[in-house]
Amino acid sequence: MAAAIFSDTSALFTDFYELTMAQGYWKEKMNYPAVFDMFFRRQPFQGGFSVFAGLETLLEALTQFSFSESDITYLSGLGIFEKGFLDYLKDFRFSGDVYAMDEGSVIFPNEPLIRIHANLIEAQIVEGLVLNHINFQSLIATKTARVWLASNKGHVMEFGLRRAQGPDGAMSASRAAYIGGADATSNTLAGKIYGIPVQGTMAHAWIMSFPSELEAFETYAQLYPSKSVFLIDTYDTLNSGIKNAITVGKKLTAQGYNFGVRLDSGDIQYLSSEVRKILDKNGLPNAFISVSNELTEEIIETLVQHKAPINSWGVGTHMVTGGDEASFTGVYKLAARYYPDKNAMEPTMKFSDNPEKTTNPGIKNLWRIYDQDNMAKADILALDSEVIQEGQEKVFYHPSGDYRQFKFAPTKVELLLKKRIQQGRRLEEKRTPEEIIQKARETMKLQLGYFDNTYKRILNPHIYKVSMTEELRNLKNAFIQERLR
């Protein structure tokens, strides 16, 4: 039997209980319209912001999501699904509407990133697809944005292919890292598919394959005179590596080329400072220094603060895996559903013994409001029937629905959720993968500029306001009061 080929466009790419629930909805004739919100609960890395990524790959998968003949055969063999339900699945396609923020947007907990309108079966089956695409890529884009800010918006290279979680993890991570601010990738396939610049130097094995370090550098320089970056820590960084790099580098410089050196071990601050002194002493002020070796945003920020003379940063493991943060806390919750006895859509609300897991009811929009300096003041959850207007002073409330509030008249407002799919069809013009991630990358950089630096601190950031309108607060409190009766 041939090995199965994985595809996220197979509607089997869902949690099994989605299918058992779907059969229940079908059998009980409960396949009514519903609205689901996708949001996340807390910032990863104890940070002050996150970056929204994975939208385009999700939308593309949604429009192709279906059960193949072999998928139906597999489900039939499980012995749990009725023939009538399997016949229904044969024609399954996502035919709903999708609203979402722009990919690359700066995002915050408990605000809807995506809102899906569909019948209950469709909305339920696509839950895993939605969360899988958005959670991982948003985690990696966020991590990369933190690295990029820590480097003082320097040149960051993503070197994580060999440490990523499988082939798809590597590809998704390269895509998300570029959106988050990485300038290049070592992943050649990602370079082809997404148009990300590819970069790389040499491994220690290259140097160890030659009779001498000098010969290894000379050969590389002959092959790639305009792309020479010498790895100088194979044997002895200061007593061998940098000396041989200078010998070859001077020849390149005389030919009109520049070159660089890379440090991959040791005390990066000390070694980069010493290497810079030696390069300058030898009349090579334009030679650049690149570093790698288990870098994190905290390490990079410390090196930048101590003025380590580093020109580019190669980050692998901690960037493409999330480092000490295993996952993004995205969830997918029912916000409204159709009630046949009322012939109307009505809000729903999830309660929990953990107050932070209580959801916000109803079909909602998300607005970003700005102050007179064109800086983001707060994100506002509002019912979709509401409009927040420039110059109109309103009271906004803490999302818990309690007494905490602030009064503000925004000088600019922005509606963040936009319709992306209508009745199962994409609304936006077809763009190349390169155009898509380039736009998302630009969105990330543009939006970060609207936030005060206190929200972007690597350690102990200020908490950005995510608030709600009085109308939404009243609706939420009405649910709570009804619950208490």
Side-chain angles (χ1 to χ4, degrees):
M1 178 175 163
I5 299 174
F6 162 75
S7 170
D8 66 351
T9 62
S10 166
L12 290 185
F13 191 62
T14 188
D15 290 304
F16 186 65
Y17 74 175
E18 309 287 13
L19 294 171
T20 57
M21 286 190 292
Q23 178 168 251
Y25 295 144
W26 171 82
K27 193 173 181 65
E28 298 299 321
K29 296 181 171 55
M30 293 173 59
N31 197 20
Y32 300 122
V35 177
F36 281 78
D37 290 336
M38 188 263 158
F39 58 94
F40 70 108
R41 297 196 187 280
R42 63 170 177 81
Q43 298 287 15
F45 318 114
Q46 298 182 11
F49 71 93
S50 291
V51 175
F52 180 49
L55 177 65
E56 178 61 31
T57 57
L58 167 64
L59 297 179
E60 193 64 22
L62 269 177
T63 59
Q64 301 176 53
F65 212 51
S66 61
F67 293 92
S68 68
E69 183 177 340
S70 64
D71 291 341
I72 299 298
T73 300
Y74 169 76
L75 290 176
S76 178
L78 297 178
I80 194 173
F81 299 109
E82 297 183 12
K83 182 179 183 304
F85 177 64
L86 293 175
D87 288 340
Y88 166 83
L89 293 183
K90 288 179 182 179
D91 297 322
F92 175 89
R93 295 290 188 279
F94 180 77
S95 60
D97 299 343
V98 177
Y99 296 78
M101 301 174 72
D102 290 334
E103 190 165 20
S105 291
V106 176
I107 55 176
F108 302 92
N110 300 310
E111 57 186 28
L113 313 178
I114 298 174
R115 195 179 81 218
I116 289 184
H117 298 238
N119 65 55
L120 199 49
I121 291 177
E122 290 181 18
Q124 200 79 72
I125 288 177
V126 304
E127 176 178 2
L129 186 74
V130 170
L131 295 176
N132 180 270
H133 277 263
I134 302 302
N135 280 339
F136 180 68
Q137 291 197 50
S138 294
L139 180 75
I140 304 309
T142 302
K143 185 70 169 180
T144 308
R146 288 168 57 83
V147 168
W148 179 64
L149 290 174
S151 73
N152 198 22
K153 302 180 181 179
H155 183 79
V156 175
M157 300 169 286
E158 176 266 304
F159 283 171
L161 181 148
R162 63 190 62 188
R163 298 286 177 84
Q165 282 94 339
D168 179 67
M171 294 299 293
S172 295
S174 294
R175 181 184 188 278
Y178 188 68
I179 290 172
D183 296 287
T185 181
S186 65
N187 184 342
T188 314
L189 181 59
K192 174 189 175 184
I193 292 176
Y194 299 120
I196 304 171
V198 290
Q199 290 184 352
T201 56
M202 59 179 66
H204 293 103
W206 170 268
I207 298 161
M208 296 163 66
S209 299
F210 287 83
S212 70
E213 185 177 54
L214 179 60
E215 188 173 341
F217 289 171
E218 287 176 334
T219 303
Y220 198 88
Q222 290 168 8
L223 291 169
Y224 312 108
S226 64
K227 301 287 185 181
S228 289
V229 182
F230 305 119
L231 183 60
I232 60 175
D233 68 335
T234 304
Y235 301 119
D236 188 322
T237 300
L238 299 181
N239 293 313
S240 171
I242 186 59
K243 293 180 179 179
N244 287 320
I246 286 172
T247 297
V248 179
K250 284 184 174 180
K251 296 177 183 177
L252 287 172
T253 302
Q255 298 170 41
Y257 299 109
N258 193 28
F259 74 101
V261 298
R262 179 162 73 96
L263 297 168
D264 191 46
S265 62
D267 186 327
I268 297 296
Q269 181 182 337
Y270 169 74
L271 290 174
S272 64
S273 297
E274 292 302 305
V275 165
R276 182 75 269 161
K277 291 176 187 175
I278 295 169
L279 289 169
D280 291 348
K281 184 178 179 180
N282 281 270
L284 298 166
N286 294 323
F288 59 89
I289 299 173
S290 178
V291 300
S292 50
N293 187 30
E294 299 293 323
L295 296 174
T296 66
E297 62 266 47
E298 292 85 2
I299 293 172
I300 291 172
E301 183 178 56
T302 299
L303 290 168
V304 169
Q305 289 174 346
H306 286 83
K307 302 187 185 311
I310 295 167
N311 303 102
S312 65
W313 311 83
V315 188
T317 303
H318 295 283
M319 180 179 289
V320 302
T321 65
D324 56 4
E325 191 80 39
S327 64
F328 198 73
T329 56
V331 294
Y332 184 83
K333 299 298 179 185
L334 184 66
R337 70 179 180 89
Y338 177 77
Y339 286 78
D341 56 329
K342 299 179 182 179
N343 191 29
M345 291 288 290
E346 295 282 346
T348 63
M349 180 172 165
K350 176 185 178 291
F351 291 86
S352 175
D353 291 334
N354 297 327
E356 67 274 11
K357 288 193 173 184
T358 299
T359 62
N360 295 308
I363 304 174
K364 298 172 292 295
N365 274 325
L366 181 65
W367 300 79
R368 183 159 291 165
I369 60 176
Y370 296 81
D371 63 18
Q372 67 275 9
D373 297 319
N374 201 32
M375 299 295 284
K377 175 72 173 179
D379 284 8
I380 306 298
L381 294 166
L383 296 174
D384 70 331
S385 58
E386 298 182 80
V387 176
I388 297 176
Q389 297 180 338
E390 294 178 5
Q392 184 179 46
E393 186 175 75
K394 293 192 72 171
V395 177
F396 301 109
Y397 293 85
H398 191 276
S400 67
D402 62 22
Y403 64 89
R404 286 171 286 181
Q405 59 184 264
F406 74 99
K407 187 181 293 185
F408 188 69
T411 57
K412 185 178 82 171
V413 301
E414 182 181 9
L415 182 61
L416 299 182
L417 292 177
K418 303 170 185 176
K419 186 179 280 190
R420 313 292 178 172
I421 291 178
Q422 182 171 312
Q423 297 181 350
R425 297 181 178 275
R426 296 288 300 271
L427 294 178
E428 297 163 307
E429 292 183 4
K430 189 74 173 177
R431 296 174 293 164
T432 67
E434 182 176 358
E435 290 171 335
I436 289 163
I437 64 168
Q438 191 64 44
K439 178 62 176 176
R441 176 183 172 87
E442 292 168 1
T443 296
M444 182 278 299
K445 293 185 176 183
L446 177 66
Q447 288 199 11
L448 275 180
Y450 293 137
F451 291 88
D452 188 82
N453 287 334
T454 57
Y455 301 122
K456 297 180 283 190
R457 287 194 298 252
I458 299 301
L459 297 176
N460 194 31
H462 192 56
I463 304 301
Y464 179 74
K465 285 186 177 68
V466 176
S467 302
M468 63 173 60
T469 61
E470 184 174 10
E471 290 83 349
L472 180 55
R473 172 182 179 257
N474 291 342
L475 176 62
K476 185 171 186 175
N477 284 339
F479 269 89
I480 293 171
Q481 293 304 313
E482 180 67 25
R483 177 83 172 179
L484 294 175
R485 289 176 187 172

